[in-house]
Amino acid sequence: MKKQSRFVAGGVLLAGVVGYLMVTGMKDSMTYYLTPAELSARLVANPTFAEDAGVRVGGRVVPGSVSFDQKTLDLRFTMVDIATGRETFPVHYNGPLPDTFKEGRDVVVEGRYRKGGTFEAAQVLTKCGSRYEAAESDFKGKQS
């Protein structure tokens, strides 16, 4: 009987340690994916929301707002909500510019929203079009 209770206590302890490691591991890798409108709504409810935990925000680069210094790799642009077109915020990123980054293109930024109102991005991802279509001029010489 005493040997059996030691086995149960060891099993409970092992399950507790595994559960703790799973929860702490998931907390470090989980990030919210929000639109600019959703991020603004969360910041109204909790101003420190995006400072405490990093977030991913998907939006569109506002044409004419991109500033990139090739020497310092300093990129600044304004992001707008794709659906509403109303919520905007400035984004700052320091690093290599993604090849497909252009004004008017959909992007996902990952980082933290700072008190000054700027989103400090640790990573900028550009979205590619979901499908590629050939131009009509590509078919003109091939039709018989």
Side-chain angles (χ1 to χ4, degrees), residues 21 43 52 62 76 96 112 119 128 136 143:
L21 291 174
L43 289 172
D52 299 338
V62 174
R76 294 179 186 275
R112 296 180 189 275
F119 191 89
C128 296
E136 286 188 33
Q143 292 178 349

Side-chain angles (χ1 to χ4, degrees), residues 10-87:
V12 169
L13 180 65
L14 181 64
V17 169
V18 170
Y20 173 76
L21 291 174
M22 285 177 53
V23 169
T24 55
M26 287 174 31
K27 275 186 175 179
D28 292 342
S29 63
M30 290 181 11
T31 56
Y32 288 99
Y33 179 84
L34 305 169
T35 65
E38 292 170 338
L39 178 62
S40 293
R42 290 209 179 195
L43 289 172
V44 169
N46 179 9
T48 61
F49 165 73
E51 290 181 35
D52 299 338
V55 293
R56 286 184 180 172
V57 182
R60 184 165 293 149
V61 178
V62 174
S65 68
V66 176
S67 169
F68 181 66
D69 186 353
Q70 291 186 352
K71 291 181 182 176
T72 62
L73 300 178
D74 192 59
L75 173 66
R76 294 179 186 275
F77 61 95
T78 302
M79 176 183 269
V80 66
D81 192 294
I82 297 170
T84 65
R86 287 182 279 168
E87 298 293 331

